[in-house]
Amino acid sequence: MRIWWEDGFEIRAAICGDEVTISANREGMVSLANILLDLAEEQPGAHVHLDEYNSLENGSCELIFERVE
């Protein structure tokens, strides 16, 4: 699966207690939407890892999106 990022995207993920907050600018929201749409077409078990070393803003927690049956 190839990930397409919109120019200028910013995405941050944070955990506070039992809540997860994903904050993004417009370009980040479009990028996340494209990831989820593409992942929906993959086979169950396909997944995408995002973290501060791979596309998210510094200080973000890791996000894993997984396609299930």
Side-chain angles (χ1 to χ4, degrees):
M1 184 175 119
R2 185 171 170 124
I3 298 177
W4 298 94
W5 298 104
E6 294 289 313
D7 288 339
F9 76 93
E10 293 181 15
I11 305 167
R12 178 172 282 109
I15 299 172
C16 183
D18 61 351
E19 295 180 354
V20 175
T21 302
I22 299 172
S23 306
N25 62 3
R26 181 196 174 281
E27 294 80 5
M29 291 287 182
V30 170
S31 296
L32 286 173
N34 287 331
I35 289 170
L36 294 175
L37 285 170
D38 289 345
L39 193 54
E41 299 304 318
E42 295 290 325
Q43 296 296 316
H47 59 280
V48 174
H49 291 256
L50 303 176
D51 59 30
E52 66 181 329
Y53 306 107
N54 176 29
S55 308
L56 301 183
E57 298 299 306
N58 288 337
S60 291
C61 63
E62 183 177 14
L63 293 176
I64 301 171
F65 298 99
E66 181 181 14
R67 164 69 158 88
V68 296
E69 192 58 45

